[in-house]
Amino acid sequence: MDIYNSDLHIHSPHSIGVSKSLNLDTMIDTCIKKGLNILGTGDILQPAWLKYLENNLEKNQDGAYYYKNIYFILQTEIEDKESVHEVILFEDFDMVRIIQKKLKAYSKNILDEWGGRPRINLSPAELADVVSDEGALIGPAHAFTPFKAIFRQNKFETLEECYADAAKKIKFIELGLSANTDLADRLESLKDVAFLSNSDAHSQDPRSLGREFNRFDVDNPSFNEILQAIQKKNGRKIILNVGLHPKLGKYYVMFCNKCRRRILFKKVKKQVNTFFNQYSITDNFIIYYSSDPISSRLDYLERVSKNKMNCPACKEQLNKNFKVKLGVSERIEKISTYKEPQHPDHRPPYVNAVPLIDIIRSVKDIKSSTSKTVLNDYNRIIQELGTEYEILIDMPINKIEKFDQTIGTVINALRNNEIKYTPGGGGTYGQINLNI
Ligand SMILES: [Zn+2]
Ligand SMILES: [Zn+2]
């Protein structure tokens, strides 16, 4: 058996908002720097992208597709009739073409230039049936995010509720930004499914592609081995999920659906009136002050989940009412069956990671994400020490510290969960707060 780092959900230039320079060559450049061995192709049902991949991917004797020295799993994301997003993995191009043909009847945009993530007019259960009857693998994407996700506010609370009889065909869910194993294992309905941590990348930028990944222990990098690992068969398995700390994700805490400010609670000694009327508004946050922030927050959360909480900032500044929405953490709190996570035996550990480029940026206190200095430092550390994943996850800290003391200290703190985070929400990533 061998170890493969795999990111099984990305997009192509045929999805909205994807970098035009994303192609096999630019993708594998990033894969090599990061230490990523298997990549989802993204958007495999889109005709031009499908053709491009058919022309360029080769197949080895194990049935694994590859381009140069990186392996690929044929993959797409679909939006179903309930506006739930699903990730689908295919064995080979024949299977892709058969499923594309079957889904064509239910979709207006599956063959479009911009149909990278097609909308299919089938219920989640019908879609799961069509896809898995052909042997492909399907599961809900970014399962807890507030938009287009199975467990979003006022939507489903269990797999069974969403997929009915087809629920047993769902073998994985994608944690997505803002959730991790500790959060997702508070739902009983997820105890038997595998968790995937994928990037959902819209570009080949090393801050995006492979930002989250799964470590598989399989015989070879083919679809069949991945399928067995996800189903925990024949000793094949996922041995590690790696991703952002949930607080760094874009949807961790409650936010206003209009101004996108995040909602936080702070403790004050004396509350002068009800906490609803005692708040401050900043560019990015609405902070409520309460003498008992824990119970105030619960009270607030209850109102938000009933769609009853208006944003005070929008009320003051626009004189309009816009609703506050639950973030991933509060939604999980709301629908969880357990107060504490109950990890089943098969669940691998989840490791927090932050893209190395962002660590370098924080350490150097550089704001720009396209800074040349940061990029040069990134390339240099990788050249000297090894791949990004080795540096973030596996390498002894003293080796990193010898190269750069501060970066070593930060990575050590990240690995040991000793970093403070400003939580993300409303579409804005959270931040690491360094005091080193
Ligand atoms: Zn999606
Ligand atoms: Zn607002």
Side-chain angles (χ1 to χ4, degrees):
M1 299 276 242
D2 272 313
I3 303 298
Y4 294 91
N5 295 325
S6 321
D7 176 2
L8 298 177
H9 177 187
I10 71 159
H11 286 279
S12 80
H14 298 278
S15 285
I16 309 284
V18 170
S19 158
K20 287 277 160 292
S21 54
L22 179 75
N23 59 48
L24 285 169
D25 289 300
T26 55
M27 281 187 225
I28 68 164
D29 271 355
T30 305
C31 288
I32 291 165
K33 286 181 185 170
K34 297 203 78 114
L36 200 50
N37 314 111
I38 308 177
L39 191 59
T41 58
D43 300 359
I44 194 69
L45 296 171
Q46 200 285 330
W49 191 242
L50 171 56
K51 199 155 202 154
Y52 170 67
L53 292 166
E54 269 181 323
N55 289 339
N56 286 284
L57 295 185
E58 292 184 70
K59 203 177 188 178
N60 71 12
Q61 73 280 3
D62 296 319
Y65 288 101
Y66 66 97
Y67 179 77
K68 298 186 179 162
N69 49 356
I70 302 297
Y71 295 98
F72 285 85
I73 297 285
L74 310 183
Q75 168 265 320
T76 194
E77 182 183 32
I78 279 181
E79 181 172 321
D80 66 31
K81 203 162 133 184
E82 295 289 341
S83 296
V84 171
H85 283 187
E86 273 112 353
V87 174
I88 301 174
L89 309 175
F90 303 82
E91 180 171 6
D92 54 27
F93 286 114
D94 288 341
M95 190 186 281
V96 171
R97 295 231 176 247
I98 291 168
I99 290 175
Q100 186 193 49
K101 206 167 158 193
K102 287 197 163 177
L103 296 180
K104 219 161 55 183
Y106 307 98
S107 177
K108 287 202 180 91
N109 67 346
I110 190 168
L111 302 181
D112 284 3
E113 171 73 19
W114 292 104
R117 182 184 53 220
R119 165 107 183 169
I120 309 287
N121 202 20
L122 289 172
S123 72
E126 289 165 337
L127 181 65
D129 281 338
V130 170
V131 164
S132 48
D133 285 355
E134 297 303 327
L137 200 56
I138 180 169
H142 43 79
F144 302 96
T145 52
F147 305 102
K148 314 277 184 186
I150 176 173
F151 298 130
R152 69 185 185 269
Q153 192 172 340
N154 305 321
K155 208 65 193 177
F156 305 107
E157 300 194 1
T158 63
L159 285 178
E160 292 72 23
E161 205 186 305
C162 176
Y163 293 100
D165 286 348
K168 53 185 175 303
K169 297 178 177 171
I170 305 298
K171 306 294 182 200
F172 72 85
I173 68 147
E174 186 182 75
L175 295 171
L177 301 173
S178 304
N180 65 5
T181 300
D182 278 347
L183 288 167
D185 270 336
R186 290 179 58 194
L187 274 70
E188 206 220 339
S189 83
L190 303 182
K191 67 180 189 315
D192 296 326
V193 299
F195 292 164
L196 293 181
S197 37
N198 300 320
S199 71
D200 200 350
H202 284 54
S203 104
Q204 73 279 9
D205 187 317
R207 284 178 315 137
S208 173
L209 190 78
R211 174 179 46 206
E212 313 223 340
F213 70 96
N214 316 275
R215 193 166 271 178
F216 283 89
D217 187 3
V218 286
D219 213 32
N220 63 63
S222 66
F223 170 85
N224 266 311
E225 288 285 316
I226 296 295
L227 178 74
Q228 292 183 61
I230 287 174
Q231 300 187 47
K232 310 173 276 287
K233 283 191 177 153
N234 304 320
R236 276 74 172 160
K237 49 186 183 268
I238 302 170
I239 55 169
L240 195 66
N241 289 112
V242 180
L244 294 179
H245 187 285
K247 285 187 177 171
L248 287 180
K250 290 201 269 193
Y251 297 105
Y252 188 75
V253 289
M254 290 180 270
F255 62 100
C256 163
N257 204 19
K258 172 72 180 171
C259 70
R260 298 294 177 120
R261 284 185 177 85
R262 286 160 266 173
I263 315 288
L264 297 178
F265 289 80
K266 277 207 171 128
K267 190 176 168 69
V268 282
K269 277 215 181 85
K270 228 172 91 201
Q271 199 169 311
V272 281
N273 45 38
T274 63
F275 81 89
F276 288 113
N277 301 318
Q278 197 168 313
Y279 54 80
S280 62
I281 296 169
T282 70
D283 284 353
N284 298 312
F285 296 95
I286 297 159
I287 304 155
Y288 286 98
Y289 299 96
S290 160
S291 53
D292 184 0
I294 295 175
S295 74
S296 297
R297 186 181 155 279
L298 283 176
D299 190 1
Y300 193 87
L301 199 156
E302 207 48 49
R303 287 164 198 249
V304 174
S305 30
K306 289 183 182 132
N307 270 331
K308 276 190 183 154
M309 205 61 228
N310 290 323
C311 166
C314 287
K315 181 74 194 161
E316 270 183 29
Q317 293 168 4
L318 310 169
N319 202 22
K320 282 210 174 113
N321 283 328
F322 290 104
K323 297 292 176 213
V324 173
K325 274 176 101 86
L326 295 179
V328 170
S329 55
E330 297 98 5
R331 179 62 180 157
I332 290 178
E333 223 171 303
K334 203 71 204 117
I335 63 174
S336 61
T337 29
Y338 311 122
K339 258 202 144 25
E340 297 294 325
Q342 308 276 326
H343 300 298
D345 289 342
H346 66 83
R347 189 75 66 219
Y350 182 99
V351 172
N352 297 322
V354 172
L356 187 52
I357 288 199
D358 288 334
I359 295 177
I360 298 170
R361 252 171 15 117
S362 301
V363 166
K364 302 221 154 202
D365 205 16
I366 293 175
K367 291 268 175 315
S368 158
S369 54
T370 51
S371 150
K372 270 255 162 351
T373 319
V374 173
L375 207 61
N376 288 340
D377 281 3
Y378 175 74
N379 288 330
R380 203 164 51 88
I381 190 170
I382 279 171
Q383 223 151 37
E384 300 253 335
L385 290 182
T387 66
E388 176 170 343
Y389 294 158
E390 284 172 322
I391 295 167
L392 291 177
I393 318 278
D394 308 304
M395 193 173 285
I397 289 296
N398 61 3
K399 194 172 166 194
I400 308 169
E401 280 177 341
K402 255 185 223 154
F403 180 83
D404 185 310
Q405 179 74 37
T406 325
I407 289 176
T409 309
V410 173
I411 290 174
N412 192 39
L414 273 168
R415 286 188 196 170
N416 297 321
N417 215 359
E418 287 163 355
I419 286 228
K420 282 217 169 9
Y421 301 94
T422 304
T428 307
Y429 285 106
Q431 277 176 334
I432 48 176
N433 301 332
L434 303 178
N435 36 31
I436 31 176

